[in-house]
Amino acid sequence: MLKPQQTQSIKTLFPLQTPFLHGNGGHAFLLQVQSRPSFNKPPKVRVGFSSANNIKAVATPSVTEKSLRVEKPLSVKAVVTVKQTVRGILSSLSIDRDDIQDWLGKSLLLELVSAQLDPRTGLEKTTVKDYAHKTGMEKDGDVTYEAEFEVPVDFGEVGAILVENEHLKEMFLKDIVLDGFPNGPITISCDSWVQSKYDNKPKRFFFTNKSYLPSQTPNGLKRLRGEEINKLRGNGRGERQIGDRIYDFDVYNDIGDPDRDMDLARPVLGGKQHPYPRRCRTGRPRCKKDPSSETRSSVIYVPRDEEFSEVKQLTFTAKTVFSVLNALLPSLETAIVDSDLGFPYFTAIDLLFNEGDLPALTKQGFWKTLISRLIKAVRDAVEDVLRFEIPDTMERDKFFWFRDEEFARQTLAGLNPYSLQLVTEWPMKSTLDPEIYGPPESAITTEIIECEIKDFMTVEEAIKQKKLFKLDYHDLLLPYVEKVRELEGSTLYGSRTLFFLTPSGTLRPLAIELTLPPIDGKPQWKRVYTPSWHSTEFWLWRFAKAHVLAHDSGYHQLVSHWLRTHCCTEPYIIATNRQLSAMHPIYRLLYPHFRYTMKINSLARLALINAGGIIESSFSLGKYSMEFSSVAYDKQWRFDQEALPKDLIKRGLAVEDPSAPHGLKLTIEDYPFANDGLVLWDTIKQWVTDYVNHYYPKPSLVDSDKELQEWWSEIRNVGHGDKKDEPWWPVLETPEDLIEILTTIVWVASGHHAAVNFGQYTYAGYFPNRPTIARINMPDENPSEENWKLFLEKPETVLLTSFPSQIQATKVMAVLAVLSNHSPDEEYLGDIEEPSWKDDPVINAAFERFNGRLKEFEEIVDERNMNPNLNNRNGAGIVPYELLKPFSEPGVTGKGVPYSISI
């Protein structure tokens, strides 16, 4: 070995004990570098190989000095943050194999991947590897692991990191920070579960936070980019297992349970007969009694990263237990024996909201034991277990539900602001086949309406001035009337409700039409009900309102809420993971808007929309509920009209006007949902515009983006394949096309969903305001002498009989209490910035503007709610409209717009 000069120091680039750097035949490669090189001439470099046979080699500086100049390697430290789980905390009370792996310093094997190819070979550069060892706990309870790398200076930019979990149990990686590079630390966001290598799971790789279009992918990452997408697609075979990360499509063939009972068999949704969006494929075995259906299980597969966080899971579970208690306790004595029993008085309904004692359970030994245990378990952590919280609406005005003006106002500022339409033709007519359903003309005549508005104008003038509006469920419901009436404990009509826009800007209900098709040889039956000062007509009007509200509740839950947000979004999630790389900028834009949605949807299939579930047992359409949502999808759903401006225009609630705010002139100026929604829509669209224009400065980049084009094609042709041939699908050729598509998806997942979800308990917690079912016919529909006499003598009792039963009402109230609350780990629109956005200065600045505009919007909402001139959102006893107010707090109902469909 040549002796170094006194002015030089020996540096070992690759120490002998480093086990992962190869290529020198097992020899240690020693570099001797002049410590203070001259700026006038290159430094002298002496290179030697040390081995057992002491072979030495010296490069002649005059010949190869420049080519052999080697700089000092970079010492890079990796800090891995692993989220501590409840299971992990419990396991820390004992020692297991994973603890031993931590002590040995072999918890995670990390490999740095260069973004560049080796210029000499044109191949990927050798990864730099090291084991990460456990270091301790951070102050927030997360566990940290560290690894140290000696990275060659010619390694280039790090583009990804490969991770192999040496534990027996999965680990949730939050992020990895690499420190030691000249340009500062590199953060790699993971937010993903990494399965144990002993479960035959391949190594995971995580890309840095820098986003690339496919054509701009660094050469060293191209293989990994394609490989990751292929892994997520799977092969379409076999049953998916817990821990898998496979995204694939399937039809809704797991709603029914024919193997348990053929009465629980349900048609497959998805296909020509019942068009429907696609869900995530689970691959479970087929039913024996109905091979077209998939068997059910207590746990429905979703890709591992779509599962709840433990905070979300524990919160959801605790609230579910709390809600089950609330649902069972008020009616244990009676409803278990008689599930059809209604409430005897309105005061009995009010008692649901007061703290009470356990009912006598002497005859219910099993329930007494079980409930007592549950109560004891929950009482320690939850106050007031034995009562429902009083909804804001009821707390402000106990009789809010009874008032006609509140009934009308809620079509604009309530739970379902998506159904009101402008009346554009007169007389109103059905489009159904008259040979089957009877005469198409509405029974609501000019004379009836002009009797109600004669002090204002004629019907012709009202239509011309856009003053007449309707809730029209006639054609959607009429084909189900006969079938539903065959079900026990339910009835149905086709319905139309007409409203008049008063000079004060509020709506006034004018008439309700209820229709029966020809049944059992009887002709079509139609009746029109109007507000009246006469007692009999007054109570009939109340009954008719109850039926319409049940129709609106069913449509809201099955169409406005489930279908248009949860169900139609799942194909976007699946296609995004199958077609867009995690490093694609559009993937990173959409990622926060999809959080938890697939898990929520799987839980809905498990207990809410399944055969015999809460929807079927408590809503008017019963076993035909999901089939009804398929009909609505077939007849009404269009992607291009899911955009808020297009939706308003379609319903006649707005017209395009470049001079008006947001480019639209509203038909009803004081329309709280539309007023706030359009501000939020424009705010989202501006953020999306800034984002898209940054990554697609040239229109040609959109058309040439293969991943993006495949993503949009799969959404249309597979995810919503039953509508793939519709002419209204937007094309995707320019940045403007992309902006409109993305804004629509983001709006549906955030603003649309918030508007129809988080007010559920506020508006429907007191169920007489929005009964989910009408259990008996109208009192004047072919009544017996006895029934008519009962109605005349005790109309309140008959109305309560029409309302949901005790068990139906309390079950729904309990579920709504869960669904309306925000989780402690909720992420609100524009509040938390994704790491990839923060790392890009242009996107970071755009997000800051987005956040600022949302804060300004908060102030706008507050100002509007305090404006006494806005009668649809301000007044005595009226709940302020805050459903689209951007931010909220955990547990709060009625306001807050999360990024995603998280409940």
Side-chain angles (χ1 to χ4, degrees):
M1 187 73 175
L2 292 179
K3 185 176 182 180
Q5 298 178 7
Q6 293 182 355
T7 58
Q8 297 173 328
S9 61
I10 299 176
K11 303 291 183 180
T12 303
L13 179 60
F14 303 137
L16 286 171
Q17 66 267 29
T18 304
F20 297 118
L21 302 178
H22 307 290
N24 60 4
H27 305 292
F29 188 32
L30 304 180
L31 303 184
Q32 299 177 6
V33 185
Q34 180 176 324
S35 61
R36 294 186 181 182
S38 168
F39 289 98
N40 298 323
K41 58 182 179 179
K44 295 179 181 179
V45 181
R46 300 188 180 195
V47 182
F49 289 88
S50 175
S51 68
N53 56 10
N54 294 322
I55 297 176
K56 299 177 181 179
V58 179
T60 305
S62 60
V63 179
T64 60
E65 187 176 50
K66 186 174 181 179
S67 62
L68 291 178
R69 187 186 308 139
V70 180
E71 298 179 40
K72 179 183 177 181
L74 300 172
S75 294
V76 175
K77 182 169 79 171
V79 178
V80 184
T81 303
V82 175
K83 190 173 185 62
Q84 178 77 306
T85 63
V86 172
R87 182 173 53 187
I89 293 173
L90 294 175
S91 67
S92 66
L93 301 176
S94 60
I95 297 175
D96 60 16
R97 181 191 176 284
D98 288 349
D99 295 317
I100 298 174
Q101 287 295 104
D102 288 341
W103 290 339
L104 293 175
K106 291 188 175 183
S107 305
L108 294 166
L109 175 59
L110 307 179
E111 300 182 46
L112 303 183
V113 179
S114 174
Q116 289 80 42
L117 298 176
D118 189 323
R120 294 168 298 177
T121 64
L123 303 175
E124 294 176 4
K125 293 182 179 180
T126 303
T127 59
V128 181
K129 308 180 184 180
D130 191 22
Y131 279 110
H133 59 278
K134 186 176 181 179
T135 58
M137 302 283 289
E138 290 187 350
K139 61 182 179 180
D140 60 357
D142 294 331
V143 183
T144 58
Y145 293 78
E146 290 184 0
E148 295 184 358
F149 303 96
E150 294 292 315
V151 182
V153 292
D154 63 349
F155 186 74
E157 182 181 356
V158 173
I161 189 165
L162 273 65
V163 180
E164 187 172 67
N165 180 8
E166 304 292 320
H167 284 174
L168 291 177
K169 297 189 288 287
E170 62 182 357
M171 302 174 73
F172 186 85
L173 269 61
K174 292 179 66 175
D175 57 42
I176 301 171
V177 179
L178 303 174
D179 196 5
F181 291 102
N183 294 328
I186 298 173
T187 300
I188 300 175
S189 302
C190 305
D191 288 322
S192 180
W193 290 96
V194 178
Q195 302 299 313
S196 168
K197 74 173 186 179
Y198 300 103
D199 291 331
N200 295 318
K201 301 296 183 183
K203 293 179 182 178
R204 290 291 307 280
F205 38 89
F206 299 97
F207 298 108
T208 63
N209 292 342
K210 191 171 183 179
S211 299
Y212 298 98
L213 299 181
S215 61
Q216 299 165 348
T217 309
N219 291 330
L221 301 177
K222 287 183 176 178
R223 178 184 63 83
L224 289 183
R225 182 169 187 147
E227 194 174 295
E228 173 73 349
I229 292 177
N230 285 333
K231 286 180 180 178
L232 292 171
R233 290 173 184 164
N235 57 17
R237 299 192 297 272
E239 183 175 358
R240 299 271 59 87
Q241 304 298 320
I242 300 296
D244 284 353
R245 296 174 60 246
I246 305 298
Y247 294 79
D248 203 355
F249 295 97
D250 206 347
V251 293
Y252 278 75
N253 60 356
D254 64 341
I255 301 299
D257 194 0
D259 283 353
R260 184 157 69 96
D261 189 334
M262 282 305 295
D263 287 340
L264 297 177
R266 297 293 182 268
V268 173
L269 304 184
K272 290 184 178 180
Q273 188 172 1
H274 299 290
Y276 218 56
R278 298 300 188 262
R279 64 167 175 90
C280 182
R281 179 185 177 275
T282 66
R284 289 171 290 179
R286 296 303 178 98
C287 293
K288 295 178 181 178
K289 295 182 180 178
D290 178 13
S292 66
S293 296
E294 190 174 81
T295 56
R296 292 177 57 80
S297 60
S298 59
V299 177
I300 298 179
Y301 165 81
V302 294
R304 186 63 183 98
D305 290 338
E306 305 296 335
E307 291 279 357
F308 285 157
S309 68
E310 283 199 332
V311 172
K312 182 81 168 182
Q313 183 68 56
L314 292 173
T315 303
F316 191 87
T317 302
K319 286 180 181 174
T320 301
V321 172
F322 171 65
S323 298
V324 166
L325 288 173
N326 274 320
L328 288 174
L329 290 176
S331 49
L332 264 180
E333 278 190 297
T334 53
I336 290 177
V337 177
D338 183 2
S339 61
D340 293 329
L341 188 65
F343 290 89
Y345 309 103
F346 277 97
T347 52
I349 300 174
D350 295 344
L351 289 175
L352 292 172
F353 304 97
N354 296 322
E355 188 171 4
D357 296 322
L358 277 171
L361 297 173
T362 52
K363 297 181 180 180
Q364 305 286 346
F366 168 76
W367 284 105
K368 180 178 180 180
T369 303
L370 175 63
I371 294 300
S372 296
R373 288 175 182 171
L374 286 174
I375 290 168
K376 186 179 186 303
V378 177
R379 259 187 179 152
D380 296 336
V382 183
E383 296 181 358
D384 297 328
V385 242
L386 302 181
R387 70 174 182 182
F388 284 100
E389 181 181 346
I390 299 175
D392 288 346
T393 43
M394 184 185 177
E395 193 163 32
R396 285 174 176 258
D397 181 357
K398 187 176 180 180
F399 301 103
F400 79 104
W401 67 277
F402 208 64
R403 295 187 288 108
D404 286 349
E405 54 269 33
E406 180 64 11
F407 166 56
R409 191 189 73 85
Q410 287 183 27
T411 64
L412 301 171
L415 191 53
N416 183 31
Y418 274 99
S419 286
L420 191 71
Q421 303 173 62
L422 179 69
V423 175
T424 57
E425 66 169 15
W426 194 265
M428 295 180 290
K429 292 183 180 181
S430 170
T431 60
L432 297 174
D433 186 350
E435 294 293 325
I436 299 174
Y437 299 103
E441 292 81 13
S442 170
I444 302 177
T445 63
T446 300
E447 292 73 23
I448 292 175
I449 298 306
E450 289 190 346
C451 182
E452 298 294 325
I453 65 171
K454 60 184 177 181
D455 294 334
F456 295 98
M457 61 188 68
T458 65
V459 167
E460 184 180 357
E461 291 171 334
I463 293 176
K464 185 177 181 179
Q465 295 180 31
K466 299 183 178 180
K467 299 293 185 181
L468 287 184
F469 299 86
K470 63 180 178 178
L471 285 181
D472 193 347
Y473 298 125
H474 183 278
D475 286 9
L476 278 176
L477 291 177
L478 207 60
Y480 284 93
V481 167
E482 185 174 4
K483 292 188 287 188
V484 167
R485 284 184 165 227
E486 293 175 353
L487 303 177
E488 186 176 351
S490 186
T491 191
L492 193 65
Y493 298 91
S495 71
R496 294 187 183 98
T497 306
L498 213 60
F499 301 88
F500 176 71
L501 181 62
T502 69
S504 66
T506 60
L507 291 176
R508 173 185 160 192
L510 301 178
I512 293 174
E513 176 187 23
L514 300 180
T515 305
L516 295 177
I519 300 176
D520 297 332
K522 297 179 181 179
Q524 182 192 71
W525 181 92
K526 290 180 181 178
R527 290 290 187 277
V528 177
Y529 303 90
T530 59
S532 175
W533 296 104
H534 184 271
S535 60
T536 301
E537 297 301 320
F538 168 86
W539 276 103
L540 288 173
W541 169 252
R542 296 298 175 197
F543 269 89
K545 275 176 56 180
H547 280 272
V548 169
L549 286 166
H551 301 166
D552 193 61
S553 293
Y555 185 88
H556 158 260
Q557 206 63 265
L558 290 165
V559 181
S560 299
H561 186 196
W562 162 256
L563 174 68
R564 292 180 63 179
T565 64
H566 288 264
C567 185
C568 286
T569 294
E570 187 152 339
Y572 310 151
I573 303 172
I574 299 171
T576 297
N577 283 277
R578 286 170 54 85
Q579 300 299 338
L580 298 182
S581 166
M583 69 169 68
H584 197 293
I586 302 307
Y587 175 94
R588 285 175 162 157
L589 174 68
L590 292 174
Y591 174 77
H593 298 289
F594 295 155
R595 185 174 183 241
Y596 297 151
T597 300
M598 290 180 70
K599 180 61 178 178
I600 290 291
N601 290 0
S602 73
L603 292 175
R605 303 201 322 268
L606 188 65
L608 292 176
I609 62 173
N610 61 301
I614 290 174
I615 296 292
E616 286 196 1
S617 63
S618 304
F619 284 73
S620 290
L621 284 153
K623 64 186 289 187
Y624 302 104
S625 294
M626 288 299 286
E627 182 183 323
F628 172 79
S629 73
S630 168
V631 172
Y633 176 72
D634 183 35
K635 293 182 178 297
Q636 296 183 339
W637 189 86
R638 290 177 46 161
F639 179 87
D640 61 327
Q641 292 180 348
E642 292 303 286
L644 177 60
K646 298 289 182 62
D647 172 82
L648 294 171
I649 292 170
K650 173 188 71 174
R651 294 190 284 123
L653 275 297
V655 293
E656 292 184 0
D657 183 353
S659 65
H662 321 293
L664 291 182
K665 179 177 175 57
L666 292 177
T667 311
I668 301 174
E669 293 183 6
D670 182 13
Y671 184 180
F673 163 70
N675 295 133
D676 292 358
L678 287 172
V679 177
L680 185 58
W681 169 272
D682 280 357
T683 302
I684 293 171
K685 188 169 185 177
Q686 186 57 61
W687 154 241
V688 173
T689 299
D690 291 343
Y691 191 97
V692 168
N693 286 342
H694 175 59
Y695 288 105
Y696 295 92
K698 299 179 182 179
S700 60
L701 291 173
V702 171
D703 194 47
S704 62
D705 187 332
K706 293 183 178 179
E707 287 184 10
L708 190 68
Q709 294 298 330
E710 287 299 316
W711 166 78
W712 184 233
S713 175
E714 188 163 84
I715 286 173
R716 295 192 326 267
N717 296 316
V718 184
H720 286 276
D722 296 334
K723 287 179 172 279
K724 64 181 179 180
D725 297 323
E726 298 287 353
W728 41 254
W729 281 104
V731 296
L732 180 53
E733 296 175 348
T734 67
E736 289 73 24
D737 299 334
L738 181 58
I739 289 166
E740 187 71 13
I741 289 169
L742 293 174
T743 304
T744 299
I745 292 174
V746 171
W747 162 257
V748 168
S750 56
H752 179 152
H753 179 259
V756 298
N757 180 72
F758 291 105
Q760 289 190 89
Y761 192 74
T762 299
Y763 290 102
Y766 186 73
F767 71 86
N769 184 56
R770 291 187 65 80
T772 58
I773 190 171
R775 296 190 295 150
I776 63 173
N777 298 338
M778 288 292 296
D780 61 336
E781 184 203 325
N782 303 317
S784 66
E785 184 176 341
E786 180 182 358
N787 288 341
W788 185 250
K789 181 181 178 182
L790 179 63
F791 166 66
L792 293 178
E793 293 178 353
K794 295 184 177 181
E796 179 182 327
T797 300
V798 179
L799 180 61
L800 285 166
T801 305
S802 183
F803 279 164
S805 68
Q806 291 190 25
I807 194 65
Q808 287 173 329
T810 50
K811 278 198 304 184
V812 171
M813 290 165 66
V815 171
L816 297 185
V818 174
L819 299 183
S820 296
N821 278 343
H822 291 288
S823 171
D825 68 340
E826 194 81 87
E827 293 183 2
Y828 293 95
L829 186 68
D831 188 27
I832 300 176
E833 187 173 7
E834 291 294 301
S836 62
W837 306 345
K838 190 178 298 184
D839 286 357
D840 188 307
V842 175
I843 299 302
N844 182 57
F847 181 82
E848 291 296 329
R849 293 192 296 272
F850 180 43
N851 177 266
R853 284 191 289 265
L854 289 171
K855 290 178 179 177
E856 291 176 1
F857 176 43
E858 286 247 313
E859 297 177 0
I860 291 172
V861 173
D862 289 338
E863 291 174 0
R864 287 173 172 173
N865 285 330
M866 292 187 294
N867 187 342
N869 296 319
L870 299 178
N871 295 319
N872 289 319
R873 64 194 307 158
N874 184 289
I878 290 179
V879 173
Y881 189 75
E882 297 182 317
L883 293 176
L884 294 178
K885 196 171 182 178
F887 309 115
S888 184
E889 297 175 3
V892 174
T893 62
K895 66 178 180 178
V897 180
Y899 271 114
S900 64
I901 303 169
S902 54
I903 272 293

